[in-house]
Amino acid sequence: MSKKLLSERDICTKFISPAIESAGWNRQKQYLEEVFFTDGKIYVKGRLTARGVRKRADYILYYKPNIPIAIIEAKDNKHTVSAGMQQALDYARILDIPFVFSSNGDGFLFHDKTNLSQIEKELSLNDFPSPELLWEKYKAFKGFEGERANQIVEQDYFFDGSGRRPRYYQQNAVNRTLEAIAKGQDRILLVMATGTGKTYTAFQIAYRLWKSKTKKRILFLADRNSLVDQTRRGDFKHFKDKMTVIKNRQVDKSYEIYLAIYQGLTGSEDEKNIFKQFSQDFFDLIIIDECHRGSAREDSSWRDVLSYFSKATQIGLTATPKESETASNSEYFGDPIYTYSLKQGIDDGFLAPYRVIRVGLNVDLEGYRPENGKTDIHGNEIEDRIYTRKDFDRNIIITERTDTVAYKVSEFLKGYDRFAKTIVFCRDIDHAERMRIALANENSDLVAGNHKYIMQITGDNDEGKRELDNFIDPEEAYPVIATTSELMTTGVDAKTCKVIVLDAEIGSMTKFKQIIGRGTRIDEEHGKLYFTILDFRNATDLFADPAFDGDPIRVKPLSEEEDLGDIIDEEQDDDVPLIDEVSGEDLTEQLEQRERPNILREPPREPYRPTGEPRDRVVVNGIDVSILVTRELHFNKEGKPITVNLKDYSRELLQDRFHSLEDFLTTWNAAEKKEVLITELEEQGVPVEALLDAVNRDCDLFDIICHVAFDQKPLSRKERVNNVKKRNYFTKYGDQARKVLEALLDKYADEGVKNIESMEVLKVNPVASFGSAIEIINSFGGKPAYLKAVRELENELYLTA
């Protein structure tokens, strides 16, 4: 059979795999075929979800398991030997691989990043390089010198027999870290988005360094007991009896792996600084979890711990590196040696996308000014000034505001899933306590069945803290709603958290990223593939900050008439296809319908009237608090937010009608009368008049459509008229006809294209000043010639497009 008749898979089996094995690569241990290294981006429409295409390499070659050094992209023999190179190079960049091959079964094109004198060359099937040759080139390229360096980078990963393998980005982070240590680097920063497995990555780093005897005593340092507990019970459990947790200020120097929190090692008095009971060279390696907090400040007591053990290699882990005037991760650790962002995680399908719903309350958007003589709940007169959103729950507490937020959150859950794990972020502990009570009153039926339906989980609440593990356990139904302030902003591995409520001012990008990270984990087994953010404080403005790189899901715009419960329960019979950004494949039929719960609609209950708030805050009630607007925030392709408004609604309709700018221009220019096309658009739901008001009434609808649907710079009608006049277009007409056309241009500049197409325009000034309708038409040589002139005039108007 001719080689050109063989499939790509046949080419691999008959030619590429034998060539690899003949070069000495072990089929069982040193190469894998058809390796999927992403999960496929999650696409969401209402309740429906679908996975995009997973990225797949035809071959990945490993010197040792999880130490990849080469990639091969195969094509069938109808392609050239180099046809797969560009795709392979892109995959190699993602996978951190220096040696890249493409093949069509005739031979190989070898792209060698280590050989700048000849970066690409063709090889025969018999000349494929051996593992030893590529490994030596790899070590030279990386700059490894000496037996110690080889011992570090060649140490095996930990395998527990379960088949679990590190994801490609974890593999990259681990390998880069060991390579840096092998070259003598002793301060290392890894930046990995929340939910991407930093602790598992840290464990593999610690294990390989410990197993190779490069680092004999290791300290894992965090700032919260929950982080240490998760680490001890999680990936680090494989250290077994070699590991201990430092607690109760007791030091036992007989272990090799230590877990501790800063607070357990330091204190205000010198005798409480028990870290000094260890010699300064006791630890060889310190891994600092969430290193953006505490020890990021140079003058902090926690930094003293790191300074004391300065001889140890120190690795900082964070999702949100901190850079400010008083704290800097990069100043201490240096630039990150590897970064895996939230946007990358969402694009790869390892992290959950999100939708954002913003709720505007009247007192938040308009401010609150007490009426003359208004008193607080204690009878004290309230200071006469305008209180804004930043004052609420800080300087002044409006009980009805808390109740309205609780009502709106409850309404959303009733229309979505009343047992969806939800975290409500409040301004402080007092606010979290009041919110718990308000939510309990709104959900009294479920609270009566189990009082743990809603729990306050804050640092001062022991009963709530005891329920934290149950909240994050996918198998535990309760608690469902957690109100919190700071305790749950970080380090809480809540895989099934489906709703995040923001009712706190968030000024820190670091804190904002950490909070969003509470929802980014995926748990397909329990139906968690995306999450929803309910924003009452416009905190999601931070999505627009260049420092934030998240890529939210894009869903259908919300009309002004829809309420919050309708957003999640929207009809799914639209015909807009769901297209995978990677492959262009239509995923519509893959959408998986979740069970639609009953929509419950209940009026707000009687508001809770608190009596025990702190005295330094004004507490007021009897205020009219209402919801002015509920709308969904949308995002552009770069993941930055755009306001859901008329323009965005119209854009989707217009792009459904016109698939490209060229399509629109062709349709517009072909229309005998633009008025007919405009009417057609109105019938299809495009709010033409409102759109002109929203954008610019000085522009023609033509420019509005080009601008809204295709991001073209709009010209005003006067600018278009001036462009026509500059071209001396009228010289081919007689004096009378030329004056009429100039008058029509002026009419267009004032009123738009629809009027100049109508014969009625001949009866009104300024056109009528040149004679009767018959006289004007005759000046062009008759009606057909006049209509032709008008059509040519329109073409000239839109010529600059």
Side-chain angles (χ1 to χ4, degrees), residues 45-301:
K45 287 182 70 177
R47 291 187 168 279
L48 311 180
T49 59
R51 285 276 190 180
V53 171
R54 302 168 67 191
K55 291 180 179 176
R56 188 198 73 181
D58 290 325
Y59 290 85
I60 297 181
L61 280 59
Y62 303 84
Y63 180 68
K64 300 187 77 173
N66 294 306
I67 304 177
I69 58 174
I71 187 170
I72 303 173
E73 181 62 28
K75 297 294 182 184
D76 63 40
N77 201 247
K78 296 173 186 175
H79 293 81
T80 64
V81 71
S82 62
M85 180 54 70
Q86 290 193 117
Q87 181 177 333
L89 286 170
D90 184 49
Y91 288 174
R93 174 188 57 81
I94 296 170
L95 298 173
D96 227 5
I97 292 175
F99 305 123
V100 187
F101 299 85
S102 70
S103 178
N104 65 350
D106 289 339
F108 297 94
L109 180 66
F110 179 23
H111 182 100
D112 182 359
K113 294 182 180 180
T114 71
N115 185 3
L116 298 182
S117 62
Q118 187 181 7
I119 200 165
E120 289 190 357
K121 63 179 179 180
E122 287 198 24
L123 303 175
S124 71
L125 291 175
N126 295 325
D127 290 332
F128 193 83
S130 68
E132 292 72 25
L133 175 61
L134 289 188
W135 182 242
E136 290 303 317
K137 288 170 71 69
Y138 182 88
K139 289 193 296 182
F141 175 64
K142 293 289 187 176
F144 303 148
E145 296 180 359
E147 186 60 32
R148 179 179 176 275
N150 292 338
Q151 182 180 348
I152 293 173
V153 298
E154 293 181 11
Q155 176 59 49
D156 291 334
Y157 276 69
F158 174 83
F159 293 100
D160 61 3
S162 67
R164 181 183 184 184
R165 298 172 56 88
R167 292 170 174 169
Y168 82 85
Y169 61 85
Q170 296 168 335
Q171 182 177 272
N172 289 352
V174 173
N175 291 342
R176 282 201 189 183
T177 300
L178 266 69
E179 289 169 3
I181 292 172
K183 291 190 286 187
Q185 188 171 332
D186 59 6
R187 296 291 183 271
I188 294 168
L189 180 62
L190 292 175
V191 177
M192 298 172 65
T194 300
T196 56
K198 290 191 295 294
T199 307
Y200 176 69
T201 303
F203 166 71
Q204 288 288 3
I205 291 169
Y207 175 83
R208 290 180 67 191
L209 291 170
W210 174 72
K211 198 68 175 176
S212 67
K213 302 189 185 305
T214 306
K215 307 296 181 184
K216 297 179 181 178
R217 287 191 286 259
I218 298 170
L219 172 63
F220 181 91
L221 198 54
D223 66 351
R224 296 187 181 180
N225 281 318
S226 59
L227 297 176
V228 169
D229 290 341
Q230 286 179 22
T231 302
R232 176 182 59 82
R233 290 183 280 105
D235 297 305
F236 274 62
K237 66 186 177 185
H238 299 294
F239 284 121
K240 299 179 180 177
D241 59 356
K242 302 295 183 182
M243 179 177 66
T244 187
V245 176
I246 300 175
K247 51 188 176 182
N248 301 323
R249 299 193 180 276
Q250 300 296 315
V251 171
D252 185 341
K253 301 178 183 178
S254 64
Y255 292 89
E256 297 177 44
I257 312 297
Y258 293 78
L259 309 181
I261 60 172
Y262 288 106
Q263 299 91 321
L265 298 179
T266 62
S268 57
E269 301 171 6
D270 197 54
E271 61 267 20
K272 292 184 179 180
N273 289 322
I274 65 166
F275 67 89
K276 293 184 178 179
Q277 294 182 31
F278 296 100
S279 64
Q280 288 182 285
D281 59 356
F282 184 84
F283 293 110
D284 305 302
L285 173 66
I286 300 178
I287 298 174
I288 305 98
D289 194 22
E290 307 291 358
C291 68
H292 63 279
R293 294 200 301 263
S295 58
R297 292 176 57 92
E298 186 174 1
D299 60 352
S300 71
S301 61

Side-chain angles (χ1 to χ4, degrees), residues 729-730 733 737-745 780 789-790 793:
Y729 165 70
F730 304 110
Y733 294 102
R738 185 165 59 249
K739 290 179 180 178
V740 170
L741 291 174
E742 287 176 345
L744 287 174
L745 277 180
F780 285 86
V790 172
L793 179 62

Side-chain angles (χ1 to χ4, degrees), residues 649 653-654 656-658 677-687:
Y649 171 71
L653 292 177
L654 290 167
D656 279 350
R657 174 65 177 80
F658 308 108
L677 180 58
I678 293 169
T679 302
E680 178 187 335
L681 292 175
E682 289 176 326
E683 289 174 351
Q684 292 174 351
V686 177

Side-chain angles (χ1 to χ4, degrees), residues 625-636:
V625 178
S626 60
I627 296 164
L628 291 186
V629 62
T630 297
R631 62 176 29 165
E632 187 153 6
L633 195 64
H634 283 247
F635 300 80
N636 60 24

